[in-house]
Amino acid sequence: MEYPSETTHGFDSPLVTVRLAVTHFFRRVDRLFTAIAYAEAGNLDKVQEMLDQDKAMKKQ
């Protein structure tokens, strides 16, 4: 989602940078609560799958 007023000569404005950081933060929080819910429900295989996905994402 890039708006012409948010970019200056190809560089992101502070607004875009903050928006991306907040979006990334809340995605991580969402995954954390999802993993907790799976663990509470006893679905440890799904939790392990999420952990493996996180490891794979960090290696990229």
Short mmCIF file of all heavy atoms in Angstrom, two decimals:
data_model
loop_
_atom_site.label_atom_id
_atom_site.label_comp_id
_atom_site.label_asym_id
_atom_site.label_seq_id
_atom_site.Cartn_x
_atom_site.Cartn_y
_atom_site.Cartn_z
N MET A 1 0.84 -1.17 0.00
CA MET A 1 0.00 0.00 0.00
C MET A 1 0.88 1.24 0.00
O MET A 1 1.22 1.78 1.03
CB MET A 1 -0.88 0.03 1.23
CG MET A 1 -2.07 -0.86 1.16
SD MET A 1 -3.26 -0.53 2.47
CE MET A 1 -2.28 -0.72 3.94
N GLU A 2 1.25 1.67 -1.14
CA GLU A 2 2.06 2.87 -1.20
C GLU A 2 1.23 3.99 -1.80
O GLU A 2 0.61 3.84 -2.83
CB GLU A 2 3.30 2.62 -2.05
CG GLU A 2 4.22 3.81 -2.08
CD GLU A 2 5.52 3.47 -2.79
OE1 GLU A 2 6.23 2.58 -2.31
OE2 GLU A 2 5.79 4.08 -3.81
N TYR A 3 1.20 5.09 -1.11
CA TYR A 3 0.49 6.26 -1.57
C TYR A 3 1.52 7.29 -2.03
O TYR A 3 2.58 7.42 -1.43
CB TYR A 3 -0.38 6.85 -0.45
CG TYR A 3 -1.39 5.87 0.07
CD1 TYR A 3 -1.20 5.19 1.26
CD2 TYR A 3 -2.56 5.60 -0.66
CE1 TYR A 3 -2.12 4.28 1.73
CE2 TYR A 3 -3.49 4.69 -0.19
CZ TYR A 3 -3.26 4.04 1.00
OH TYR A 3 -4.19 3.14 1.45
N PRO A 4 1.23 8.00 -3.11
CA PRO A 4 2.21 8.95 -3.64
C PRO A 4 2.71 9.96 -2.61
O PRO A 4 3.85 10.36 -2.63
CB PRO A 4 1.45 9.65 -4.76
CG PRO A 4 0.35 8.74 -5.13
CD PRO A 4 0.01 7.97 -3.88
N SER A 5 1.87 10.35 -1.67
CA SER A 5 2.28 11.36 -0.69
C SER A 5 3.19 10.77 0.38
O SER A 5 3.76 11.51 1.18
CB SER A 5 1.05 11.97 -0.02
OG SER A 5 0.34 10.97 0.66
N GLU A 6 3.33 9.44 0.42
CA GLU A 6 4.12 8.82 1.47
C GLU A 6 5.54 8.47 1.04
O GLU A 6 6.31 7.95 1.82
CB GLU A 6 3.43 7.55 1.97
CG GLU A 6 2.13 7.82 2.68
CD GLU A 6 1.47 6.55 3.13
OE1 GLU A 6 1.89 5.46 2.70
OE2 GLU A 6 0.50 6.64 3.90
N THR A 7 5.89 8.71 -0.19
CA THR A 7 7.22 8.37 -0.65
C THR A 7 7.89 9.60 -1.24
O THR A 7 7.24 10.42 -1.86
CB THR A 7 7.19 7.20 -1.65
OG1 THR A 7 8.51 6.85 -2.00
CG2 THR A 7 6.42 7.53 -2.88
N THR A 8 9.17 9.72 -0.99
CA THR A 8 9.93 10.85 -1.51
C THR A 8 11.14 10.30 -2.24
O THR A 8 12.05 9.76 -1.62
CB THR A 8 10.39 11.77 -0.36
OG1 THR A 8 9.24 12.13 0.40
CG2 THR A 8 11.06 13.01 -0.89
N HIS A 9 11.14 10.40 -3.53
CA HIS A 9 12.26 9.94 -4.36
C HIS A 9 12.65 8.50 -4.05
O HIS A 9 13.82 8.16 -3.94
CB HIS A 9 13.47 10.86 -4.18
CG HIS A 9 13.15 12.30 -4.44
ND1 HIS A 9 12.84 12.77 -5.70
CD2 HIS A 9 13.05 13.36 -3.61
CE1 HIS A 9 12.58 14.06 -5.63
NE2 HIS A 9 12.69 14.45 -4.37
N GLY A 10 11.67 7.63 -3.86
CA GLY A 10 11.93 6.22 -3.65
C GLY A 10 12.20 5.81 -2.21
O GLY A 10 12.37 4.65 -1.92
N PHE A 11 12.26 6.77 -1.29
CA PHE A 11 12.50 6.45 0.11
C PHE A 11 11.19 6.53 0.87
O PHE A 11 10.39 7.43 0.64
CB PHE A 11 13.50 7.42 0.74
CG PHE A 11 14.87 7.32 0.14
CD1 PHE A 11 15.30 8.25 -0.78
CD2 PHE A 11 15.71 6.27 0.47
CE1 PHE A 11 16.56 8.15 -1.36
CE2 PHE A 11 16.96 6.16 -0.10
CZ PHE A 11 17.39 7.11 -1.01
N ASP A 12 11.00 5.59 1.78
CA ASP A 12 9.78 5.59 2.58
C ASP A 12 9.81 6.75 3.58
O ASP A 12 10.84 7.07 4.15
CB ASP A 12 9.64 4.28 3.35
CG ASP A 12 9.31 3.12 2.44
OD1 ASP A 12 8.83 3.36 1.33
OD2 ASP A 12 9.56 1.97 2.86
N SER A 13 8.67 7.32 3.79
CA SER A 13 8.55 8.38 4.79
C SER A 13 8.48 7.72 6.17
O SER A 13 8.24 6.52 6.29
CB SER A 13 7.30 9.20 4.54
OG SER A 13 6.15 8.47 4.91
N PRO A 14 8.66 8.49 7.23
CA PRO A 14 8.54 7.93 8.58
C PRO A 14 7.17 7.28 8.82
O PRO A 14 7.08 6.29 9.53
CB PRO A 14 8.75 9.13 9.49
CG PRO A 14 9.57 10.07 8.68
CD PRO A 14 9.12 9.87 7.25
N LEU A 15 6.13 7.82 8.21
CA LEU A 15 4.79 7.25 8.38
C LEU A 15 4.74 5.82 7.87
O LEU A 15 4.20 4.93 8.52
CB LEU A 15 3.75 8.11 7.66
CG LEU A 15 2.31 7.59 7.69
CD1 LEU A 15 1.79 7.55 9.12
CD2 LEU A 15 1.42 8.46 6.83
N VAL A 16 5.33 5.57 6.72
CA VAL A 16 5.34 4.22 6.14
C VAL A 16 6.16 3.28 7.03
O VAL A 16 5.77 2.15 7.29
CB VAL A 16 5.90 4.24 4.70
CG1 VAL A 16 6.09 2.83 4.17
CG2 VAL A 16 4.99 5.03 3.80
N THR A 17 7.30 3.76 7.50
CA THR A 17 8.17 2.95 8.35
C THR A 17 7.45 2.56 9.64
O THR A 17 7.51 1.41 10.07
CB THR A 17 9.47 3.71 8.68
OG1 THR A 17 10.10 4.08 7.45
CG2 THR A 17 10.41 2.88 9.50
N VAL A 18 6.77 3.51 10.25
CA VAL A 18 6.03 3.22 11.48
C VAL A 18 4.90 2.25 11.20
O VAL A 18 4.68 1.30 11.97
CB VAL A 18 5.50 4.53 12.11
CG1 VAL A 18 4.51 4.23 13.22
CG2 VAL A 18 6.64 5.37 12.62
N ARG A 19 4.19 2.45 10.11
CA ARG A 19 3.08 1.54 9.77
C ARG A 19 3.59 0.12 9.58
O ARG A 19 2.97 -0.84 10.06
CB ARG A 19 2.38 2.03 8.50
CG ARG A 19 1.19 1.14 8.15
CD ARG A 19 0.47 1.59 6.89
NE ARG A 19 -0.07 2.93 7.08
CZ ARG A 19 -0.13 3.82 6.11
NH1 ARG A 19 0.30 3.54 4.90
NH2 ARG A 19 -0.65 5.02 6.34
N LEU A 20 4.71 -0.05 8.89
CA LEU A 20 5.27 -1.38 8.68
C LEU A 20 5.71 -2.01 10.00
O LEU A 20 5.50 -3.20 10.23
CB LEU A 20 6.44 -1.31 7.71
CG LEU A 20 6.08 -1.01 6.26
CD1 LEU A 20 7.35 -0.82 5.43
CD2 LEU A 20 5.23 -2.11 5.67
N ALA A 21 6.33 -1.22 10.87
CA ALA A 21 6.77 -1.74 12.16
C ALA A 21 5.59 -2.17 13.02
O ALA A 21 5.63 -3.24 13.65
CB ALA A 21 7.60 -0.68 12.89
N VAL A 22 4.54 -1.38 13.04
CA VAL A 22 3.35 -1.71 13.84
C VAL A 22 2.67 -2.96 13.28
O VAL A 22 2.28 -3.85 14.02
CB VAL A 22 2.38 -0.51 13.90
CG1 VAL A 22 1.04 -0.91 14.49
CG2 VAL A 22 3.00 0.63 14.70
N THR A 23 2.57 -3.04 11.97
CA THR A 23 1.97 -4.21 11.33
C THR A 23 2.76 -5.46 11.66
O THR A 23 2.19 -6.50 12.03
CB THR A 23 1.90 -4.02 9.80
OG1 THR A 23 1.11 -2.86 9.53
CG2 THR A 23 1.28 -5.22 9.12
N HIS A 24 4.08 -5.39 11.56
CA HIS A 24 4.93 -6.54 11.88
C HIS A 24 4.76 -6.94 13.35
O HIS A 24 4.64 -8.13 13.66
CB HIS A 24 6.40 -6.19 11.58
CG HIS A 24 7.34 -7.29 11.92
ND1 HIS A 24 7.47 -8.42 11.15
CD2 HIS A 24 8.19 -7.43 12.96
CE1 HIS A 24 8.36 -9.21 11.71
NE2 HIS A 24 8.82 -8.64 12.79
N PHE A 25 4.75 -5.96 14.24
CA PHE A 25 4.59 -6.23 15.67
C PHE A 25 3.29 -6.96 15.95
O PHE A 25 3.29 -7.99 16.65
CB PHE A 25 4.64 -4.92 16.47
CG PHE A 25 4.30 -5.10 17.91
CD1 PHE A 25 5.24 -5.61 18.78
CD2 PHE A 25 3.05 -4.76 18.38
CE1 PHE A 25 4.93 -5.79 20.13
CE2 PHE A 25 2.73 -4.92 19.73
CZ PHE A 25 3.67 -5.45 20.60
N PHE A 26 2.18 -6.49 15.39
CA PHE A 26 0.90 -7.11 15.68
C PHE A 26 0.75 -8.48 15.01
O PHE A 26 0.06 -9.35 15.54
CB PHE A 26 -0.26 -6.18 15.33
CG PHE A 26 -0.48 -5.14 16.39
CD1 PHE A 26 -0.14 -3.82 16.18
CD2 PHE A 26 -0.99 -5.49 17.63
CE1 PHE A 26 -0.33 -2.87 17.17
CE2 PHE A 26 -1.19 -4.55 18.63
CZ PHE A 26 -0.85 -3.23 18.40
N ARG A 27 1.42 -8.70 13.90
CA ARG A 27 1.42 -10.06 13.32
C ARG A 27 2.12 -11.03 14.25
O ARG A 27 1.69 -12.17 14.42
CB ARG A 27 2.11 -10.05 11.95
CG ARG A 27 1.25 -9.51 10.86
CD ARG A 27 1.92 -9.64 9.52
NE ARG A 27 1.13 -9.01 8.49
CZ ARG A 27 1.62 -8.44 7.42
NH1 ARG A 27 2.91 -8.43 7.20
NH2 ARG A 27 0.82 -7.89 6.54
N ARG A 28 3.25 -10.59 14.83
CA ARG A 28 3.98 -11.45 15.76
C ARG A 28 3.14 -11.72 17.01
O ARG A 28 3.11 -12.85 17.52
CB ARG A 28 5.32 -10.81 16.15
CG ARG A 28 6.27 -10.59 15.00
CD ARG A 28 6.82 -11.84 14.43
NE ARG A 28 7.63 -12.50 15.43
CZ ARG A 28 8.05 -13.74 15.34
NH1 ARG A 28 7.78 -14.46 14.29
NH2 ARG A 28 8.77 -14.27 16.30
N VAL A 29 2.47 -10.70 17.53
CA VAL A 29 1.61 -10.88 18.71
C VAL A 29 0.47 -11.84 18.38
O VAL A 29 0.14 -12.72 19.18
CB VAL A 29 1.08 -9.52 19.21
CG1 VAL A 29 -0.01 -9.70 20.26
CG2 VAL A 29 2.22 -8.67 19.77
N ASP A 30 -0.10 -11.72 17.19
CA ASP A 30 -1.19 -12.60 16.78
C ASP A 30 -0.71 -14.05 16.73
O ASP A 30 -1.39 -14.95 17.20
CB ASP A 30 -1.73 -12.16 15.41
CG ASP A 30 -2.87 -13.04 14.95
OD1 ASP A 30 -3.85 -13.19 15.69
OD2 ASP A 30 -2.76 -13.59 13.83
N ARG A 31 0.49 -14.27 16.18
CA ARG A 31 1.04 -15.64 16.12
C ARG A 31 1.29 -16.18 17.53
O ARG A 31 1.07 -17.36 17.79
CB ARG A 31 2.31 -15.68 15.29
CG ARG A 31 2.05 -15.61 13.80
CD ARG A 31 3.30 -15.75 12.98
NE ARG A 31 3.98 -17.02 13.14
CZ ARG A 31 3.65 -18.17 12.54
NH1 ARG A 31 2.60 -18.18 11.72
NH2 ARG A 31 4.33 -19.26 12.72
N LEU A 32 1.75 -15.32 18.42
CA LEU A 32 2.01 -15.75 19.79
C LEU A 32 0.71 -16.21 20.45
O LEU A 32 0.67 -17.29 21.05
CB LEU A 32 2.62 -14.60 20.59
CG LEU A 32 2.81 -14.85 22.09
CD1 LEU A 32 3.85 -15.93 22.33
CD2 LEU A 32 3.19 -13.57 22.78
N PHE A 33 -0.34 -15.41 20.35
CA PHE A 33 -1.61 -15.79 20.96
C PHE A 33 -2.22 -17.02 20.28
O PHE A 33 -2.87 -17.83 20.94
CB PHE A 33 -2.59 -14.62 20.98
CG PHE A 33 -2.28 -13.62 22.05
CD1 PHE A 33 -1.95 -12.32 21.73
CD2 PHE A 33 -2.32 -13.99 23.38
CE1 PHE A 33 -1.66 -11.40 22.73
CE2 PHE A 33 -2.04 -13.08 24.39
CZ PHE A 33 -1.70 -11.78 24.06
N THR A 34 -2.01 -17.16 19.00
CA THR A 34 -2.49 -18.35 18.30
C THR A 34 -1.78 -19.59 18.83
O THR A 34 -2.41 -20.62 19.09
CB THR A 34 -2.28 -18.22 16.78
OG1 THR A 34 -2.99 -17.06 16.32
CG2 THR A 34 -2.78 -19.44 16.04
N ALA A 35 -0.45 -19.49 19.00
CA ALA A 35 0.32 -20.62 19.54
C ALA A 35 -0.13 -20.96 20.96
O ALA A 35 -0.25 -22.13 21.31
CB ALA A 35 1.81 -20.30 19.51
N ILE A 36 -0.40 -19.95 21.76
CA ILE A 36 -0.87 -20.19 23.12
C ILE A 36 -2.23 -20.90 23.10
O ILE A 36 -2.47 -21.84 23.87
CB ILE A 36 -0.95 -18.87 23.91
CG1 ILE A 36 0.45 -18.34 24.18
CG2 ILE A 36 -1.73 -19.04 25.21
CD1 ILE A 36 0.49 -16.93 24.73
N ALA A 37 -3.10 -20.47 22.21
CA ALA A 37 -4.42 -21.10 22.11
C ALA A 37 -4.30 -22.57 21.69
O ALA A 37 -4.99 -23.43 22.24
CB ALA A 37 -5.30 -20.34 21.13
N TYR A 38 -3.41 -22.83 20.72
CA TYR A 38 -3.20 -24.22 20.30
C TYR A 38 -2.66 -25.05 21.47
O TYR A 38 -3.08 -26.19 21.69
CB TYR A 38 -2.22 -24.31 19.14
CG TYR A 38 -2.82 -23.97 17.78
CD1 TYR A 38 -2.15 -23.15 16.89
CD2 TYR A 38 -4.04 -24.50 17.38
CE1 TYR A 38 -2.68 -22.84 15.65
CE2 TYR A 38 -4.59 -24.20 16.15
CZ TYR A 38 -3.89 -23.38 15.28
OH TYR A 38 -4.43 -23.09 14.05
N ALA A 39 -1.71 -24.48 22.22
CA ALA A 39 -1.13 -25.21 23.34
C ALA A 39 -2.17 -25.51 24.42
O ALA A 39 -2.22 -26.61 24.98
CB ALA A 39 0.03 -24.42 23.93
N GLU A 40 -3.01 -24.51 24.71
CA GLU A 40 -4.06 -24.72 25.71
C GLU A 40 -5.06 -25.78 25.26
O GLU A 40 -5.61 -26.50 26.09
CB GLU A 40 -4.78 -23.42 26.00
CG GLU A 40 -3.96 -22.44 26.81
CD GLU A 40 -4.69 -21.12 27.05
OE1 GLU A 40 -5.69 -20.85 26.36
OE2 GLU A 40 -4.23 -20.37 27.92
N ALA A 41 -5.27 -25.88 23.96
CA ALA A 41 -6.21 -26.87 23.43
C ALA A 41 -5.57 -28.25 23.31
O ALA A 41 -6.24 -29.22 22.96
CB ALA A 41 -6.74 -26.42 22.07
N GLY A 42 -4.27 -28.32 23.58
CA GLY A 42 -3.58 -29.60 23.51
C GLY A 42 -3.07 -29.96 22.14
O GLY A 42 -2.65 -31.09 21.91
N ASN A 43 -3.09 -29.03 21.22
CA ASN A 43 -2.63 -29.29 19.86
C ASN A 43 -1.15 -28.90 19.73
O ASN A 43 -0.79 -27.93 19.09
CB ASN A 43 -3.48 -28.51 18.85
CG ASN A 43 -3.27 -28.99 17.44
OD1 ASN A 43 -2.36 -29.75 17.15
ND2 ASN A 43 -4.14 -28.54 16.54
N LEU A 44 -0.29 -29.69 20.38
CA LEU A 44 1.13 -29.38 20.42
C LEU A 44 1.81 -29.57 19.07
O LEU A 44 2.84 -28.94 18.80
CB LEU A 44 1.83 -30.19 21.50
CG LEU A 44 1.29 -29.94 22.92
CD1 LEU A 44 2.03 -30.81 23.93
CD2 LEU A 44 1.39 -28.47 23.30
N ASP A 45 1.25 -30.42 18.22
CA ASP A 45 1.82 -30.59 16.88
C ASP A 45 1.72 -29.29 16.09
O ASP A 45 2.64 -28.92 15.36
CB ASP A 45 1.11 -31.71 16.12
CG ASP A 45 1.39 -33.08 16.72
OD1 ASP A 45 2.46 -33.24 17.34
OD2 ASP A 45 0.54 -33.97 16.57
N LYS A 46 0.61 -28.61 16.23
CA LYS A 46 0.42 -27.33 15.53
C LYS A 46 1.38 -26.26 16.08
O LYS A 46 1.92 -25.46 15.32
CB LYS A 46 -1.03 -26.87 15.66
CG LYS A 46 -1.38 -25.71 14.79
CD LYS A 46 -1.32 -26.05 13.31
CE LYS A 46 -1.82 -24.89 12.49
NZ LYS A 46 -1.68 -25.12 11.07
N VAL A 47 1.60 -26.27 17.39
CA VAL A 47 2.56 -25.34 18.00
C VAL A 47 3.95 -25.60 17.45
O VAL A 47 4.66 -24.67 17.07
CB VAL A 47 2.54 -25.44 19.54
CG1 VAL A 47 3.63 -24.59 20.15
CG2 VAL A 47 1.18 -25.05 20.09
N GLN A 48 4.34 -26.88 17.37
CA GLN A 48 5.66 -27.22 16.83
C GLN A 48 5.77 -26.79 15.37
O GLN A 48 6.81 -26.29 14.94
CB GLN A 48 5.92 -28.72 16.96
CG GLN A 48 7.32 -29.12 16.55
CD GLN A 48 8.37 -28.46 17.42
OE1 GLN A 48 8.28 -28.47 18.65
NE2 GLN A 48 9.36 -27.87 16.80
N GLU A 49 4.71 -26.94 14.61
CA GLU A 49 4.70 -26.51 13.21
C GLU A 49 4.93 -24.99 13.12
O GLU A 49 5.71 -24.52 12.27
CB GLU A 49 3.37 -26.88 12.57
CG GLU A 49 3.24 -26.50 11.12
CD GLU A 49 1.87 -26.86 10.56
OE1 GLU A 49 1.34 -27.92 10.91
OE2 GLU A 49 1.34 -26.06 9.78
N MET A 50 4.28 -24.24 13.98
CA MET A 50 4.46 -22.78 13.98
C MET A 50 5.90 -22.41 14.36
O MET A 50 6.49 -21.51 13.77
CB MET A 50 3.48 -22.12 14.94
CG MET A 50 2.03 -22.18 14.46
SD MET A 50 0.88 -21.41 15.60
CE MET A 50 1.25 -19.70 15.30
N LEU A 51 6.47 -23.11 15.34
CA LEU A 51 7.85 -22.85 15.72
C LEU A 51 8.81 -23.15 14.58
O LEU A 51 9.76 -22.41 14.34
CB LEU A 51 8.23 -23.67 16.96
CG LEU A 51 7.55 -23.27 18.26
CD1 LEU A 51 7.86 -24.29 19.35
CD2 LEU A 51 8.00 -21.88 18.68
N ASP A 52 8.55 -24.24 13.87
CA ASP A 52 9.39 -24.59 12.72
C ASP A 52 9.28 -23.53 11.62
O ASP A 52 10.28 -23.19 10.98
CB ASP A 52 9.00 -25.97 12.17
CG ASP A 52 9.34 -27.09 13.14
OD1 ASP A 52 10.16 -26.88 14.06
OD2 ASP A 52 8.75 -28.19 13.00
N GLN A 53 8.08 -23.02 11.41
CA GLN A 53 7.90 -21.96 10.41
C GLN A 53 8.67 -20.71 10.81
O GLN A 53 9.29 -20.06 9.97
CB GLN A 53 6.42 -21.61 10.26
CG GLN A 53 5.60 -22.66 9.55
CD GLN A 53 4.12 -22.34 9.58
OE1 GLN A 53 3.68 -21.38 10.21
NE2 GLN A 53 3.32 -23.17 8.89
N ASP A 54 8.65 -20.38 12.11
CA ASP A 54 9.39 -19.20 12.59
C ASP A 54 10.89 -19.38 12.37
O ASP A 54 11.58 -18.45 11.96
CB ASP A 54 9.10 -18.94 14.06
CG ASP A 54 7.72 -18.35 14.29
OD1 ASP A 54 7.10 -17.88 13.31
OD2 ASP A 54 7.27 -18.37 15.44
N LYS A 55 11.39 -20.57 12.64
CA LYS A 55 12.82 -20.84 12.43
C LYS A 55 13.17 -20.70 10.95
O LYS A 55 14.22 -20.14 10.61
CB LYS A 55 13.19 -22.25 12.92
CG LYS A 55 13.27 -22.36 14.40
CD LYS A 55 13.65 -23.78 14.79
CE LYS A 55 13.60 -23.97 16.28
NZ LYS A 55 13.90 -25.37 16.66
N ALA A 56 12.32 -21.22 10.09
CA ALA A 56 12.57 -21.14 8.64
C ALA A 56 12.55 -19.68 8.17
O ALA A 56 13.35 -19.30 7.32
CB ALA A 56 11.54 -21.97 7.89
N MET A 57 11.64 -18.88 8.73
CA MET A 57 11.56 -17.46 8.33
C MET A 57 12.80 -16.70 8.78
O MET A 57 13.27 -15.81 8.08
CB MET A 57 10.29 -16.84 8.91
CG MET A 57 9.03 -17.33 8.25
SD MET A 57 7.50 -16.78 9.05
CE MET A 57 7.68 -15.03 9.09
N LYS A 58 13.35 -17.04 9.95
CA LYS A 58 14.53 -16.35 10.45
C LYS A 58 15.77 -16.68 9.64
O LYS A 58 16.67 -15.86 9.54
CB LYS A 58 14.76 -16.70 11.92
CG LYS A 58 13.76 -16.05 12.84
CD LYS A 58 14.03 -16.41 14.29
CE LYS A 58 12.97 -15.79 15.18
NZ LYS A 58 13.17 -16.15 16.59
N LYS A 59 15.82 -17.87 9.05
CA LYS A 59 16.99 -18.28 8.26
C LYS A 59 17.03 -17.58 6.91
O LYS A 59 18.07 -17.52 6.28
CB LYS A 59 16.99 -19.79 8.06
CG LYS A 59 17.33 -20.55 9.31
CD LYS A 59 17.38 -22.03 9.06
CE LYS A 59 17.71 -22.78 10.33
NZ LYS A 59 17.78 -24.22 10.12
N GLN A 60 15.89 -17.07 6.45
CA GLN A 60 15.85 -16.44 5.11
C GLN A 60 16.50 -15.12 5.11
O GLN A 60 16.66 -14.30 5.77
CB GLN A 60 14.41 -16.30 4.64
CG GLN A 60 13.78 -17.63 4.35
CD GLN A 60 12.33 -17.46 3.90
OE1 GLN A 60 11.76 -16.39 3.95
NE2 GLN A 60 11.75 -18.55 3.49
#
